[in-house]
Amino acid sequence: MTYPPVPYYGPPPVPRENKLATGALVCSLAGFFTVGLSAIAGIVMGHLAYGRARRGEAGGRGIAAAAFICGYVVLALWVGFGVTFTLLVTGTIVNPLTG
């Protein structure tokens, strides 16, 4: 008695590369040099890429998450710097080095 041949299924499908996630990470990190403006684009693109990865339309879920997290951090640092600088210039808080 012979058995039928085992069907060949091939390798599992590889999720498509998520270039939107890569672009989002680049924009988020570029926010350090663009006063946070590109970080806003990185946050939006990161959330879009994360949604695509979660639905299974593309890969790069970790890169997308890193993109919007880095974008939020960069934006928070620039806002904090701006508020501190404004308070120092207007004299609301006193610079300890100059009295």
Side-chain angles (χ1 to χ4, degrees):
M1 182 164 165
T2 61
Y3 294 101
V6 178
Y8 177 71
Y9 294 107
V14 179
R16 294 186 315 220
E17 183 180 344
N18 196 346
K19 294 181 181 175
L20 185 62
T22 305
L25 186 60
V26 168
C27 285
S28 292
L29 294 176
F32 281 115
F33 307 106
T34 61
V35 193
L37 294 177
S38 67
I40 297 169
I43 292 168
V44 172
M45 289 169 42
H47 280 288
L48 291 173
Y50 189 79
R52 284 185 183 178
R54 194 179 57 201
R55 288 189 303 269
E57 296 173 6
R61 188 173 185 175
I63 295 174
F68 68 76
I69 290 170
C70 288
Y72 282 128
V73 168
V74 168
L75 194 60
L77 288 173
W78 275 110
V79 168
F81 172 75
V83 168
T84 304
F85 183 76
T86 302
L87 293 176
L88 281 173
V89 168
T90 59
T92 306
I93 58 176
V94 178
N95 187 348
L97 297 177
T98 60

